[in-house]
């Protein structure tokens, strides 16, 4: 194995152990499972509507932490939304 191949393998192993990688992998797995339950739709056949349905389903289960801003919220698009009073789930 060349040094470049060895380095690439080391980087891949390092990345796969990170919490963010595991979270993304779990989210992808959840999305693929959700899509397959909708008349056998694969990830490559999914439409934006399918993805929105998945996100809405996650919100109703309370597993997401996304703030759903109102149209007049001054914190839309900012990362400093600690004082935002918009809901954390769709209702």
């Amino acid at each position: 194995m060349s040094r470049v191949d060895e380095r690439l393998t080391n980087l891949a192993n390092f990345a796969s152990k990170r919490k963010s990688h595991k979270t993304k992998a779990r989210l992808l797995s959840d999305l693929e499972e959700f899509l397959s339950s909708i008349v056998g739709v694969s990830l490559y056949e999914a439409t934006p509507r399918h993805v929105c349905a998945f996100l809405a389903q996650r919100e109703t289960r309370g597993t997401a932490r996304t703030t759903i801003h109102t149209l007049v919220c001054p914190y839309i698009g900012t990362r400093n939304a600690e004082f935002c009073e918009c809901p954390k789930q769709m209702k």
Side-chain angles (χ1 to χ4, degrees), residues 52-62 64 66-69 87-91:
C52 288
F54 169 72
L55 294 173
Q57 180 256 354
R58 283 180 53 87
E59 289 287 344
T60 58
R61 287 191 333 207
T66 304
T67 300
I68 311 301
H69 294 285
K88 296 288 185 201
Q89 292 183 319
M90 291 186 281
K91 299 208 184 222

Side-chain angles (χ1 to χ4, degrees), residues 3-73:
R3 288 179 54 120
V4 172
D5 290 334
E6 185 177 330
R7 179 65 176 147
L8 290 173
T9 301
N10 288 340
L11 288 172
N13 289 336
F14 174 75
S16 66
K17 293 177 184 172
R18 297 186 61 121
K19 183 180 178 189
S20 61
H21 177 77
K22 291 177 182 177
T23 302
K24 285 187 255 182
R26 180 67 187 155
L27 183 61
L28 179 59
S29 174
D30 289 349
L31 175 59
E32 289 173 334
E33 183 179 324
F34 177 81
L35 291 173
S36 69
S37 71
I38 301 175
V39 196
V41 174
S42 74
L43 183 60
Y44 300 104
E45 299 168 320
T47 65
R49 185 170 176 83
H50 290 130
V51 175
C52 288
F54 169 72
L55 294 173
Q57 180 256 354
R58 283 180 53 87
E59 289 287 344
T60 58
R61 287 191 333 207
T63 57
R65 297 175 296 197
T66 304
T67 300
I68 311 301
H69 294 285
T70 62
L71 294 176
V72 295
C73 178

